[in-house]
Amino acid sequence: MRKYSLILVIVAAILLEVMGGAQYFLAIYGTEAELLDKASRDMDQSLRVAAVKSEVESALRNIVDEVESSIDDPNKYYRIVNGLVLNNPHIVGAGVAFRPDYYKKQGKGRLYAPYVYDRQPDVTLKKKKTVEPMVTSTLLPFDYTDREWFNKPIANGKSLWTKPYVDKGGTHIIMCTYVMPVHDQTGTTVGVFFADVPMEDVSLLSIDIYNGIISSRIVLFIIQVVSLIIIGFIIWMAVKSFRRYQGRYVDSEKSNLIEEAERLKETNARLKEVNARLTTGKTSWPKRWRSYAISPR
């Protein structure tokens, strides 16, 4: 029994070590693969990113005059930014955002920011060039006056690229935005003209990394479940073996001890009875003890 229990403990310990080793190597391999993939993409796509930024900047500069000349007719902005999204494969969203209360009869509350965006979840360049975007026109549904991309161009009159961020409005991709100041006829900065550009390679890499993490977790989960099942089976076998041993040896020995105790109890009662008769001086033996009497010579 001890030998069998020792074997079960050794097997369980080996399984735990195997499970821990598998988790370690999967984590190391997954992290290394992700880093190599990112480094390769960074090297291959640095020039492409620069070219995309240049194209986007040129696209906005080419029509910013039309935007500024349409200030007296704000309904034209939807048509302008809609054409920008449809005709530029690198742009997934574009809009014009004005100072608070600039158009008192337009927009929601004090703000007016017409915006057009592509609702396609796949923003890869190949898909964008072969499939017409599914554009939607709306107004920005949040207060943009506290955002740096709005305040900074208005304050210094210069264009800028925002830092990469995750679009939480629907696509959940990593993108950045190019913003240009918009002036009225007097040269006063009254708003900004902007375009959203997906960081295609980074977004795809983030999707690959996420899928890799999910795959690794699934493998680790399967290993853990299988190991727990095996360890549970080993524990069940050990308990079953112990019960079998208990029934075969311990319970049997217990029964023998109980029977022996009963016999000793009965013998003790007989000896007490004999001792009592001897003490009272009676010489006659009970019938059941006559067989033990010794005949005189």
Side-chain angles (χ1 to χ4, degrees), residues 13-33:
I14 291 174
L15 285 174
L16 290 175
E17 290 296 326
V18 170
M19 183 175 66
Q23 292 176 334
Y24 174 78
F25 284 111
L26 282 174
I28 293 297
Y29 174 78
T31 302
E32 182 180 351

Side-chain angles (χ1 to χ4, degrees), residues 196-217:
D196 297 330
V197 181
M199 299 187 66
E200 180 181 348
D201 297 296
V202 177
S203 297
L204 295 178
L205 178 59
S206 65
I207 294 173
D208 293 340
I209 292 174
Y210 178 78
N211 291 335
I213 292 174
I214 294 298
S215 299
S216 298
R217 287 181 177 176

Side-chain angles (χ1 to χ4, degrees), residues 75-118:
N75 292 323
K76 289 184 179 180
Y77 292 132
Y78 284 108
R79 178 185 58 80
I80 295 173
V81 295
N82 184 80
L84 184 63
V85 174
L86 288 175
N87 298 323
N88 195 306
H90 301 296
I91 297 176
V92 295
V96 188
F98 289 91
R99 290 175 178 270
D101 294 325
Y102 189 77
Y103 290 105
K104 298 184 181 298
K105 297 182 180 180
Q106 302 285 344
K108 296 180 179 179
R110 303 170 54 228
L111 304 177
Y112 181 63
Y115 180 66
V116 173
Y117 66 98
D118 180 7

Side-chain angles (χ1 to χ4, degrees), residues 198-255:
M199 299 187 66
E200 180 181 348
D201 297 296
V202 177
S203 297
L204 295 178
L205 178 59
S206 65
I207 294 173
D208 293 340
I209 292 174
Y210 178 78
N211 291 335
I213 292 174
I214 294 298
S215 299
S216 298
R217 287 181 177 176
I218 291 175
V219 173
L220 291 175
F221 177 75
I222 293 174
I223 292 175
Q224 290 175 339
V225 169
V226 172
S227 299
L228 289 175
I229 291 174
I230 295 175
I231 292 173
F233 176 75
I234 291 174
I235 295 174
W236 178 75
M237 290 294 295
V239 171
K240 186 177 180 181
S241 177
F242 176 76
R243 288 180 177 176
R244 188 183 302 113
Y245 170 81
Q246 185 180 28
R248 181 178 299 177
Y249 298 102
V250 177
D251 292 346
S252 177
E253 187 67 22
K254 183 178 180 181
S255 299

